[in-house]
Amino acid sequence: AAVNLDSVRSGNTAWIDQFKNALLPSLDDDQTEASAMDWAVHFIALPWKLIFAFVPPTDYCGGWLSFFSGIIFIGLLTVFIGDLAALLGCCMGIPDEITAISIVALGTSLPDTFASKVAAVEDPTADNAIGNVTGSNSVNVFLGLGLPWMMAALYWANAGPTDAWKAKYPDMVDLYPDGGFIVRAGDLVFSVGIFTFC
């Protein structure tokens, strides 16, 4: 396959610009100088801005390199945030289940809420807001829940009943002698109540 050198040069320039932009505070179109609040927000966001500046621009490989790099970065960030939430819950004496349906759920839903609000305000028909909510919920349900469950089911189908699995689910050994992915039924009303309250 032929390489488009103009696209590569444009990508190199855009990638350098990403790092330059990450090192400076974000300004509105009508702003010429950053305020004290702009600098404060900039320093809080600086590590994240620098980390995500490593995602290559869309000029390379028709945008696919940027897409897959972004997915990898989001996955790593998700692991990091999940661990932080578990540590916070541990320090506060909150079980992981409550942390997941309150703090983590709130943290993942608020950005979508604000994006939908902005879309509703700026779009005359508010179609983008509805599309944003629908798309976000679809991704959360189908990928956020479905993909990990599918991976866990495939893993446990291949791993079989390990000693740790037998110790954790002694009442399931007779029902599922070949092992499997077990999810205990919980109290859905309690989970929804906690989520709604938070």
Side-chain angles (χ1 to χ4, degrees):
V3 175
N4 184 343
L5 292 179
D6 290 334
S7 180
V8 171
R9 285 189 200 102
S10 172
N12 292 343
T13 303
W15 211 345
I16 290 168
D17 288 342
Q18 283 180 194
F19 282 97
K20 288 179 182 175
N21 291 336
L23 294 172
L24 298 172
S26 301
L27 299 176
D28 292 332
D29 292 336
D30 57 344
Q31 271 185 297
T32 56
E33 194 172 307
S35 67
M37 181 59 94
D38 292 331
W39 280 105
V41 170
H42 169 69
F43 282 117
I44 291 169
L46 182 62
W48 302 109
K49 290 166 83 173
L50 286 173
I51 289 169
F52 281 98
F54 282 98
V55 174
T58 57
D59 299 288
Y60 300 118
C61 304
W64 288 107
L65 184 61
S66 177
F67 174 76
F68 286 112
S69 298
I71 294 290
I72 290 169
F73 274 70
I74 289 170
L76 294 173
L77 181 63
T78 301
V79 169
F80 178 72
I81 296 297
D83 286 346
L84 274 181
L87 286 172
L88 177 66
C90 180
C91 291
M92 297 174 67
I94 303 171
D96 284 346
E97 295 81 13
I98 304 300
T99 304
I101 63 173
S102 57
I103 298 170
V104 175
L106 189 65
T108 56
S109 297
L110 277 180
D112 294 333
T113 303
F114 291 127
S116 296
K117 189 241 183 220
V118 168
V121 169
E122 293 182 1
D123 189 25
T125 61
D127 289 345
N128 288 334
I130 294 168
N132 185 37
V133 169
T134 307
S136 172
N137 287 330
S138 298
V139 168
N140 288 342
V141 170
F142 297 124
L143 286 179
L145 291 175
L147 190 62
W149 279 46
M150 182 188 74
M151 291 169 62
L154 291 173
Y155 171 80
W156 284 109
N158 289 325
T162 62
D163 291 335
W165 185 88
K166 290 177 185 177
K168 187 169 184 177
Y169 307 110
D171 55 329
M172 296 290 175
V173 173
D174 293 333
L175 291 171
Y176 303 102
D178 295 330
F181 178 48
I182 305 292
V183 179
R184 301 267 186 208
D187 188 353
L188 183 61
V189 174
F190 176 73
S191 298
V192 171
I194 292 291
F195 181 75
T196 304
F197 175 74
C198 293

